[in-house]
């Protein structure tokens, strides 16, 4: 895995280059024709589009889990508006309900910017780099590239550290949820667990991963943050004990326009 990828070819994407940066030279010579590179759309957005996720939240206390279940709907209700650089920014409205029989209630708003070489998400005033295109196995980048003052004291990735990776590029994904199987023939996964050095050690374990399907969008999200029991005289427990922590996983169960 080459963690200097940003220096060689990915930095331009993170800085939001114009569409010209994604052009591919189709031929050589004085009359060379420049054609746009056709990249898979891993985060399609359009007015009226929506995705519904089945969500499981789990809280850990003294290695004992307590789980809750609900649904999220992410929906684009209006046309995108340009940001300061003229790039289209979509507002993705998130609603929540406890069961499919209940009405949706407003929850939060996620803003998503899609440009030729990257996709960024902004939530709670924090902008993160969700994707860097094209997706290549082992490619890496900084998840917090736009957060120069980000505080990494809690073990999260900092703006100056390469902390996001691609794996399972072009692989199928099958998930069973509530007795139903959801199959996605072609996916890519972004991941930062077990590969980010200081983020995972004997005292804590932090996992963040998202799987995308072209033409569909995010289909599976996982986030976990655990602290080990290090109160004993001999130090942290081995094997790892989820003394305190939280986890959430989201499975796409429906999408449309």
């Amino acid at each position: 895995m080459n963690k200097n990828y940003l220096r060689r070819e990915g930095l331009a994407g993170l800085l939001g280059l114009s569409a010209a940066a994604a052009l591919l030279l189709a031929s050589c010579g004085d009359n060379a024709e420049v054609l746009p590179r056709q990249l898979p759309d891993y985060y399609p957005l359009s007015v009226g589009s929506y995705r519904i996720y089945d969500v499981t939240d789990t809280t850990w206390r003294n290695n004992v889990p307590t789980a809750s279940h609900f649904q999220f709907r992410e929906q684009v209700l209006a046309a995108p508006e340009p940001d300061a650089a003229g790039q289209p920014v979509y507002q993705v409205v998130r609603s929540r309900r406890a069961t499919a029989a209940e009405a949706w209630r407003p929850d939060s708003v996620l803003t998503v910017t899609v440009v030729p070489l990257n996709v960024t998400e902004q939530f709670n005033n924090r902008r993160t780099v969700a994707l860097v295109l094209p997706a290549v196995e082992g490619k890496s980048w900084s998840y917090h590239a736009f957060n120069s003052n980000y505080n990494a004291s809690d073990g999260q990735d900092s703006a100056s550290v390469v902390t996001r990776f691609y794996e399972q590029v072009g692989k199928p994904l099958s998930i069973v949820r509530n007795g139903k199987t959801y199959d996605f023939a072609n996916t890519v996964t972004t991941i930062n667990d077990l590969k980010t050095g200081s983020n995972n050690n004997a005292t804590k374990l932090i996992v963040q991963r998202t799987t995308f399907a072209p033409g569909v969008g995010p289909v599976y999200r996982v986030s976990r943050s655990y602290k080990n029991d290090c109160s004993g005289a001999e130090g942290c427990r081995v094997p790892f004990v989820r003394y305190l922590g939280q986890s959430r996983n989201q499975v796409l169960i429906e999408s449309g326009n």
Side-chain angles (χ1 to χ4, degrees), residues 22-43:
L23 299 182
L24 178 66
L25 192 62
S27 60
C28 300
D30 294 338
N31 297 320
E33 182 182 3
V34 176
L35 298 174
R37 175 183 291 175
Q38 298 300 315
L39 297 174
D41 188 358
Y42 291 109
Y43 215 132

Side-chain angles (χ1 to χ4, degrees), residues 151-166:
N151 185 352
S153 62
D154 193 33
Q156 302 291 325
D157 18 314
S158 69
S160 61
V161 179
V162 174
T163 48
R164 191 69 73 186
F165 307 86
Y166 277 124

Side-chain angles (χ1 to χ4, degrees), residues 46-101:
S46 60
V47 178
S49 64
Y50 71 91
R51 304 182 185 94
I52 296 177
Y53 297 89
D54 188 79
V55 184
T56 299
D57 262 355
T58 305
T59 300
W60 294 80
R61 295 288 184 272
N62 295 317
N63 214 37
V64 177
T66 301
S68 62
H69 305 275
F70 56 92
Q71 292 184 344
F72 271 147
R73 180 183 66 188
E74 296 179 353
Q75 189 174 23
V76 179
L77 299 177
E81 296 186 1
D83 62 10
Q87 306 292 355
V89 179
Y90 291 85
Q91 286 200 349
V92 180
V93 178
R94 179 177 284 174
S95 303
R96 175 172 170 162
R97 65 185 181 187
T99 68

Side-chain angles (χ1 to χ4, degrees), residues 117-189:
L117 293 183
N118 71 83
V119 176
T120 64
E121 298 176 323
Q122 184 165 316
F123 188 71
N124 289 336
N125 294 319
R126 181 174 294 164
R127 188 179 181 187
T128 54
V129 183
L131 293 163
V132 174
L133 301 174
V136 177
E137 187 79 21
K139 179 188 291 187
S140 58
W141 66 94
S142 174
Y143 185 57
H144 284 286
F146 289 98
N147 300 313
S148 59
N149 60 347
Y150 186 69
N151 185 352
S153 62
D154 193 33
Q156 302 291 325
D157 18 314
S158 69
S160 61
V161 179
V162 174
T163 48
R164 191 69 73 186
F165 307 86
Y166 277 124
E167 70 173 23
Q168 301 296 314
V169 174
K171 302 296 184 181
L173 177 69
S174 182
I175 307 174
V176 178
R177 194 71 154 205
N178 299 323
K180 184 175 180 180
T181 301
Y182 298 90
D183 291 312
F184 304 95
N186 180 15
T187 68
V188 300
T189 295

Side-chain angles (χ1 to χ4, degrees), residues 97-117:
R97 65 185 181 187
T99 68
E102 296 188 6
W104 292 106
R105 296 180 180 274
D107 181 83
S108 55
V109 176
L110 171 73
T111 59
V112 181
T113 304
V114 180
V115 296
L117 293 183

